[in-house]
């Protein structure tokens, strides 16, 4: 049996917001998908499903990688299309969280589900075993829970929940599919109410609300304290409830509370009175215009729960508490909160203490080990560190003693004792694995083959670091290393992996070493981004000195580095994640192959700082235009490439980057960024095994004056419409000259060095312009482009 589920066709049952977005992510990954909804009245029974697909284009952030992918979702209905389920390898049910509705639907679709197909529920907390009871015995071994988090394209977490009869092989296959094909972080949960992430994550929100009310801390101050300052998302506590929707948040809380009679915190698992009032009024958050927060002409307003009135959200945390938040040592920070008399510091200690207490008490019943619980909170709720990681970083034994003291003093929310296992370990995460209370053992990482593709996986605190490889060459700016002795890995050490003179020098030296010692080279960094572009600070410093000769030399060095990549005797594969902007994009353009994570943002952004790409990008587009076949003309190709360069457009994902020409159709897009290095190494070895030789140098046939006139006509139109400034026009005219090859006849051939010289000359000319210098300084100061 295959260790990965191959899904030729999938179906999603339920075209609500969640179901439609799951369908969208499946087609993002290239999986043909049916989207089922109730039949509509009238002649078109699929109208409801079609409307749900159309609504995908209005949702932000965008569920679809490309707008056209919506056409790949096939609308269907439960009356006339159930027989189509027989063609599906995976069926995901995603209707409303009603046990009776789900069971009724299962009874209806079961006759059409193949015995070898996987049927899964996207329930956020209903019992998988109770749902399975209505299924025929033949389908139960292939049934499980597969809980995506919203929005499913962007949230990493999927909880995989087996029923009593679920086959382990099916779980393993489905996990591999979720990890590689959909790019998810999978955590296996036990069949308990709300599973892992919602059980602890929703509780953490209720804890903050409870202690805020107890200590009289305003909601906007709570959100300042419980956001990035403690490693949580910007939405913090009350904004998170608003964004989720107070009605949805209430449904989760009220739906699970009755099932948790044995939970010592059960009396706290309820909505605050003020929130119930908001829900009754229909003030549910941004979707209704008001919730905990609302916006009017005066700005953002926040609810005062005592009066039910809104005031300007201008609350600030106390300076002494903010100073404690800046303390980097977790042990010092928690100790200071615990001993402080300031209500805001007491609040911070209380929410951490009660979440630690709750997570420890529940761990054995809801999860296999501490790593799974921590990852569930990181991937599902956006925490930078899970509760056990934070506890361990602050000192496991010391914090445990503090919690026990507070329990004895009646200061904790519940009087339940910490479980005995807490005293039996010095840490929950170690080099041997993460603690599993059920077996009183440290559980190592999963041995599923899919995880062998993650050479440097995301880690929890205290876990053993992967082997860092053998260094072949290093400088302060770059490191060339290998983990297999065959393929070199080139990594930049600069902040955001920007490319300055030191990086360029290191790249050239690294290629010299790699050609002598390696069969191939991969450009990859252990942490994203791939590269934020040229080191703009070095450019600004040279401008301040008036060192235009040095700037010309810097551009020449950049061109030498990208040319070296293109002309190397060994194949070069770039593995891109996060951002690949400006010069970073130019490295991609000159590699033999790119392996890019789906969410990588790629673009030539030089126009945003008053410049044009000058490390060979314009030359490369002219070359690629000349290589177009009968299906496309060089001028048509350049027209599509021209405007993204002039407007500094950044592709929002790797599929869009292919559309814009920043990636080739042959470049590889991966959904899981942790598999980048593995696939890039395999691609590099495959190229080397095929007797790789660098592309032969040849003169480039250019489009000449004819192509230049076409590009300038488009530029003139944009200027006349007021969409670009005079300076934008000047930049665009330079770009058009390089792309077209200058004042030549169409079809004339030029050496690529001519185009590189044009790039460098125009780049330095633009650096002399006051408006370009203003753009550079504005970008360095604000991190935003200036359109002057």
């Amino acid at each position: 049996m295959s260790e990965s589920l191959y899904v030729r066709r999938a179906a999603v049952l339920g075209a609500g917001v969640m179901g439609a977005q799951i369908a969208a992510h499946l087609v993002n990954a290239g999986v043909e998908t049916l989207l089922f909804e109730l039949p509509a009245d009238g002649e078109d029974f699929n109208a409801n499903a079609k409307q749900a697909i159309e609504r995908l284009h209005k949702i932000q952030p965008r569920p679809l990688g490309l707008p056209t992918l919506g056409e790949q979702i096939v609308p269907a209905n439960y009356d006339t299309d159930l027989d189509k389920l027989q063609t599906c390898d995976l069926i995901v049910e995603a209707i409303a969280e009603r046990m009776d509705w789900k069971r009724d639907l299962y009874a209806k679709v079961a006759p059409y589900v193949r015995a070898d197909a996987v049927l899964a529920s996207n329930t956020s907390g209903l019992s998988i075993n109770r749902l399975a009871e209505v299924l025929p015995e033949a389908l139960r071994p292939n049934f499980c829970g597969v809980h995506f988090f919203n929005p499913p394209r962007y949230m990493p977490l999927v909880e995989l929940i087996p029923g009593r009869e679920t086959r382990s092989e099916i779980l393993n296959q489905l996990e591999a599919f979720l990890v590689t094909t959909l790019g998810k972080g999978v955590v296996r949960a036990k069949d308990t109410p709300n599973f892992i992430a919602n059980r602890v994550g929703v509780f953490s929100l209720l804890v903050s609300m409870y202690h805020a009310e107890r200590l009289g801390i305003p909601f906007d101050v709570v959100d300042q304290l419980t956001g990035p300052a403690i490693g949580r998302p910007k939405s913090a506590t009350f904004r998170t409830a608003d964004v989720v929707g107070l009605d949805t948040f209430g449904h989760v809380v009220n739906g699970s509370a009755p099932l948790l009679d044995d939970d010592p915190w059960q009396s706290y698992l309820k909505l605050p009175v003020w929130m119930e009032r908001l829900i009754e009024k229909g003030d549910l958050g941004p979707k209704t215009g008001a919730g905990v927060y609302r916006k009017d002409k005066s700005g953002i307003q926040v609810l005062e729960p005592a009066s039910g009135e809104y005031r300007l959200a201008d609350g600030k945390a106390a300076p002494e508490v903010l100073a404690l938040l800046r303390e980097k040592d977790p042990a010092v920070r928690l100790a200071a909160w615990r001993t402080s008399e300031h209500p805001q510091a007491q609040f911070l200690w209380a929410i951490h203490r009660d979440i630690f207490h709750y997570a420890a008490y529940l761990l054995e019943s809801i999860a296999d080990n501490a790593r799974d619980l921590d990852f569930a909170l990181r991937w599902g709720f956006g925490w930078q560190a899970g509760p056990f990681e934070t506890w361990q970083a602050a000192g496991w034994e010391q914090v445990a003693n503090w919690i026990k003291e507070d329990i004895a003093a009646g200061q904790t929310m519940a009087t339940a004792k910490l479980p005995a296992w807490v005293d039996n370990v010095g840490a929950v995460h170690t080099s041997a694995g993460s603690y599993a209370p059920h077996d009183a053992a440290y559980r190592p990482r999963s041995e599923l083959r899919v995880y062998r593709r993650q050479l440097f996986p995301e880690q929890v605190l205290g876990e053993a670091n992967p082997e860092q490889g053998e260094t072949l060459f290093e400088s302060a700016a770059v490191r060339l290393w290998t983990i297999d002795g065959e393929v070199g890995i080139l990594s930049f050490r600069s902040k955001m992996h920007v490319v300055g003179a030191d990086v360029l020098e290191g790249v050239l030296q690294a290629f010299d070493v790699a050609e002598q010692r390696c069969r191939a080279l991969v450009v990859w960094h252990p942490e994203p981004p791939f590269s934020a572009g040229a080191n703009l600070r070095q450019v600004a410093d040279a401008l301040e000195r008036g060192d235009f000769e040095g700037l010309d030399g810097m551009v020449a060095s950049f061109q030498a580095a990208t040319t070296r990549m293109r002309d190397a005797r060994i194949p070069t594969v770039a593995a891109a994640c996060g951002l690949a902007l400006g010069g970073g994009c130019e490295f991609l353009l000159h590699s033999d192959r790119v392996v890019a994570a789906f969410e990588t943002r790629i673009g030539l952004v030089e126009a945003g700082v008053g410049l044009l790409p000058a490390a060979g990008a314009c030359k490369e587009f002219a070359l690629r235009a000349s290589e177009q076949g009968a299906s496309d003309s060089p001028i048509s190709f350049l027209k599509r490439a021209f405007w993204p360069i002039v407007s500094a457009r950044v592709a929002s994902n790797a599929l869009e980057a292919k559309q814009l020409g920043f990636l080739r159709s042959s470049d590889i897009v991966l959904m899981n960024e942790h598999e980048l290095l593995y696939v890039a190494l395999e691609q590099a070895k495959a190229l080397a095994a095929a007797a790789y030789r660098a592309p032969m140098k040849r003169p480039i046939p250019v489009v000449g004056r004819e192509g230049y006139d076409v590009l300038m006509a488009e530029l003139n139109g944009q200027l006349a419409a007021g969409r670009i400034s005079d300076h934008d026009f000047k930049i665009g005219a330079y770009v058009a000259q390089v792309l077209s090859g200058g004042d030549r006849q169409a079809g004339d051939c030029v050496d690529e060095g001519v185009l590189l010289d044009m790039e460098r000359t125009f780049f330095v000319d633009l650096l002399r312009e006051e408006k370009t210098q203003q753009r550079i300084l504005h970008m360095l100061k604000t991190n935003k482009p200036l359109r002057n």
Side-chain angles (χ1 to χ4, degrees):
M1 179 177 286
S2 171
E3 292 194 13
S4 179
L5 178 70
Y6 185 75
V7 180
R8 296 174 181 82
R9 201 179 202 198
V12 177
L13 309 181
V17 173
M18 195 64 180
Q21 290 192 82
I22 292 172
H25 195 56
L26 284 163
V27 296
N28 284 340
V31 178
E32 182 183 346
T33 303
L34 299 169
L35 180 61
F36 279 79
E37 187 49 282
L38 294 169
D41 296 330
E43 296 182 1
D44 187 357
F45 287 176
N46 291 329
N48 289 336
K50 289 178 180 177
Q51 289 173 7
I53 295 168
E54 281 300 311
R55 285 194 294 271
L56 289 171
H57 299 289
K58 300 177 182 179
I59 297 175
Q60 292 295 333
R62 298 188 321 182
L64 294 164
L66 296 172
T68 53
L69 284 174
E71 301 167 9
Q72 304 303 313
I73 304 175
V74 180
N77 72 88
Y78 300 120
D79 277 8
T80 64
D81 296 325
L82 285 179
D83 60 326
K84 295 178 181 177
L85 290 175
Q86 296 173 352
T87 67
C88 296
D89 305 297
L90 172 66
I91 301 167
V92 179
E93 170 271 308
I95 68 171
E97 288 291 279
R98 284 273 301 268
M99 178 70 73
D100 53 342
W101 290 0
K102 290 179 185 288
R103 286 164 64 104
D104 287 347
L105 179 59
Y106 292 177
K108 186 171 186 176
V109 304
Y112 302 92
V113 178
R114 298 197 322 262
D116 64 335
V118 175
L119 175 62
S121 175
N122 182 55
T123 177
S124 60
L126 296 179
S127 170
I128 298 303
N129 285 308
R130 283 201 60 204
L131 288 171
E133 290 170 353
V134 74
L135 291 172
E137 288 188 13
L139 296 184
R140 293 177 192 172
N142 285 16
F143 175 71
C144 64
V146 56
H147 180 209
F148 290 85
F149 274 65
N150 191 26
R153 170 181 165 184
Y154 300 94
M155 295 303 291
L157 180 63
V158 170
E159 290 177 314
L160 193 58
I161 311 101
R164 281 187 294 269
E165 299 178 58
T166 309
R167 288 190 299 144
S168 60
E169 304 87 46
I170 287 298
L171 291 172
N172 293 344
Q173 289 180 329
L174 184 54
E175 182 166 352
F177 169 79
L178 292 167
V179 169
T180 288
T181 305
L182 298 189
K184 295 302 174 186
V186 175
V187 166
R188 300 221 185 168
K190 297 182 180 181
D191 189 19
T192 57
N194 284 1
F195 311 130
I196 302 174
N198 275 345
R199 184 77 176 273
V200 180
V202 171
F203 175 79
S204 74
L205 296 174
L206 292 173
V207 166
S208 293
M209 293 176 186
Y210 167 75
H211 286 300
E213 186 173 353
R214 179 177 68 84
L215 293 166
I217 302 175
F219 293 167
D220 50 344
V221 174
V222 169
D223 278 351
Q224 185 182 8
L225 294 172
T226 58
I230 60 169
R232 307 273 178 85
K234 290 181 180 179
S235 55
T237 298
F238 294 103
R239 289 188 189 279
T240 294
D242 261 4
V243 170
V244 168
L246 300 187
D247 55 338
T248 302
F249 182 73
H251 179 79
V252 172
V253 173
N254 294 330
S256 60
L259 305 175
L260 300 173
D261 289 338
D262 59 345
D263 190 318
W265 286 261
Q266 207 266 353
S267 62
Y268 297 98
L269 304 178
K270 60 184 180 181
L271 296 182
V273 173
W274 58 264
M275 186 179 290
E276 291 180 338
R277 291 175 183 156
L278 286 178
I279 294 173
E280 289 173 6
K281 288 171 58 181
D283 292 340
L284 309 177
K287 61 185 177 183
T288 61
V292 179
Y293 293 91
R294 72 179 185 187
K295 187 176 182 179
D296 67 7
K297 294 179 181 178
S298 66
I300 303 296
Q301 296 187 320
V302 64
L303 181 74
E304 284 284 4
S307 65
E309 302 295 325
Y310 288 86
R311 63 163 175 81
L312 194 65
D314 56 359
K316 301 291 184 184
E320 58 266 44
V321 176
L322 291 176
L324 293 178
L325 283 167
R326 288 191 288 270
E327 169 59 53
K328 294 183 179 181
D329 187 333
V332 173
R333 193 164 58 237
L334 260 67
W337 293 341
R338 186 169 187 265
T339 56
S340 172
E341 295 184 359
H342 197 289
Q344 293 176 18
Q346 293 173 11
F347 166 82
L348 287 167
W349 162 247
I351 65 171
H352 282 81
R353 174 201 64 206
D354 289 329
I355 292 168
F356 295 160
H357 189 186
Y358 194 66
Y361 183 88
L362 289 179
L363 177 60
E364 183 172 357
S365 63
I366 67 173
D368 176 73
N369 60 77
R371 178 178 54 249
D372 285 351
L373 191 146
D374 277 346
F375 274 150
L377 273 295
R378 279 163 58 166
W379 294 340
F381 278 77
W383 292 16
Q384 290 180 9
F388 290 127
E389 290 179 281
T390 304
W391 180 347
Q392 181 168 318
W396 183 263
E397 185 176 346
Q398 176 63 77
V399 173
N401 288 333
W402 288 340
I403 296 171
K404 291 177 193 174
E405 290 172 8
D406 284 8
I407 293 171
Q411 296 174 352
T412 53
M413 293 173 70
T415 58
K417 294 182 179 179
L418 282 174
W421 66 261
V422 170
D423 291 328
N424 298 332
V425 301
V428 288
H429 302 304
T430 70
S431 59
S434 294
Y435 194 72
H438 180 75
D439 299 325
Y442 285 92
R443 189 85 71 221
R445 288 265 182 165
S446 170
E447 295 183 358
L448 288 180
R449 181 176 296 176
V450 66
Y451 293 112
R452 299 176 197 172
R453 296 166 59 90
Q454 298 186 17
L455 303 179
F456 290 84
E458 189 172 347
Q459 294 184 286
V460 288
L461 176 76
E463 190 173 5
N465 290 322
E467 174 60 44
Q468 298 299 303
E470 175 193 359
T471 298
L472 304 179
F473 163 80
E474 65 181 331
S475 67
V478 306
R479 180 188 181 218
L480 175 67
W481 52 294
T482 182
I483 57 178
D484 62 5
E486 293 185 59
V487 181
I489 303 168
L490 177 59
S491 302
F492 302 167
R493 287 172 161 168
S494 51
K495 184 178 181 181
M496 296 289 285
H497 303 132
V498 296
V499 183
D502 51 350
V503 171
L504 293 172
E505 181 181 358
V507 167
L508 291 170
Q509 292 175 301
F511 267 96
D512 289 340
V513 176
E515 283 187 328
Q516 297 299 318
R517 300 191 58 179
C518 305
R519 296 177 59 217
L521 182 70
V522 168
V523 183
W524 176 82
H525 314 305
E527 297 292 336
F530 180 76
S531 175
N535 188 327
L536 208 55
R537 172 52 63 189
Q538 287 186 3
V539 174
D541 290 345
L543 283 173
E544 188 175 357
R545 298 192 304 270
D547 184 11
F548 290 98
E549 183 177 345
L551 288 165
D552 183 86
M554 184 183 296
V555 180
S557 295
F558 216 138
Q559 291 180 344
T562 55
T563 299
R564 187 78 173 84
M565 175 181 284
R566 165 53 53 224
D567 295 343
R569 297 200 303 265
I570 57 176
T572 302
V573 176
C577 179
L579 298 173
L581 304 179
C585 179
E586 290 181 287
F587 273 121
L588 301 188
L589 290 168
H590 287 82
S591 63
D592 294 298
R593 185 154 298 162
V594 177
V595 179
F598 180 80
E599 299 295 351
T600 308
R601 301 180 66 226
I602 302 172
L604 295 167
V605 295
E606 287 84 355
V609 288
L611 298 166
L612 85 165
C618 296
K619 173 270 299 178
E620 190 66 20
F621 275 109
L623 174 62
R624 294 184 184 187
S626 72
E627 296 171 341
Q628 296 306 298
S631 62
D632 200 4
S633 71
I635 291 178
S636 296
F637 177 87
L638 290 176
K639 278 184 67 176
R640 289 196 302 276
F642 177 64
W643 190 243
I645 296 173
V646 176
S647 62
R649 180 175 172 182
V650 176
S652 61
N653 60 73
L655 295 185
E656 189 175 21
K658 285 193 173 188
Q659 275 195 338
L660 299 178
F662 300 137
L663 295 179
R664 294 162 294 217
S665 60
S666 58
D667 288 330
I668 295 170
V669 177
L670 296 181
M671 301 304 285
N672 196 319
E673 65 183 61
H674 297 295
E675 297 182 348
L676 278 177
L677 180 58
Y678 172 85
V679 175
L681 291 171
E682 293 298 309
Q683 290 292 312
K685 285 186 278 192
L687 289 169
Y692 173 84
R693 293 187 67 84
M696 293 179 65
K697 293 283 187 181
R698 61 176 180 80
I700 301 172
V702 295
V703 296
R705 285 188 293 272
E706 178 185 350
Y708 176 77
D709 290 341
V710 170
L711 299 180
M712 290 303 295
E714 180 166 331
L715 200 60
N716 278 300
Q718 295 291 330
L719 182 64
R723 298 190 183 98
I724 62 174
S725 68
D726 289 340
H727 196 52
D728 293 325
F729 182 88
K730 184 167 189 175
I731 297 166
Y734 278 155
V735 173
Q737 286 190 62
V738 184
L739 292 178
S740 61
D743 188 17
R744 291 176 171 82
Q745 294 289 334
D748 282 356
C749 292
V750 299
D751 185 84
E752 68 176 43
V754 173
L755 301 183
L756 290 173
D757 287 345
M758 292 172 67
E759 285 184 7
R760 189 174 73 255
T761 299
F762 294 153
F763 188 92
V764 176
D765 283 351
L766 286 167
L767 282 172
R768 297 180 186 276
E769 294 278 344
E770 182 180 356
K771 289 186 176 180
T772 290
Q773 295 173 16
Q774 290 171 348
R775 290 190 182 190
I776 291 172
L777 293 175
H778 187 269
M779 177 62 75
L780 286 170
K781 185 177 181 180
T782 68
N783 202 33
K784 295 179 181 178
L786 172 67
R787 288 296 187 187
N788 54 357

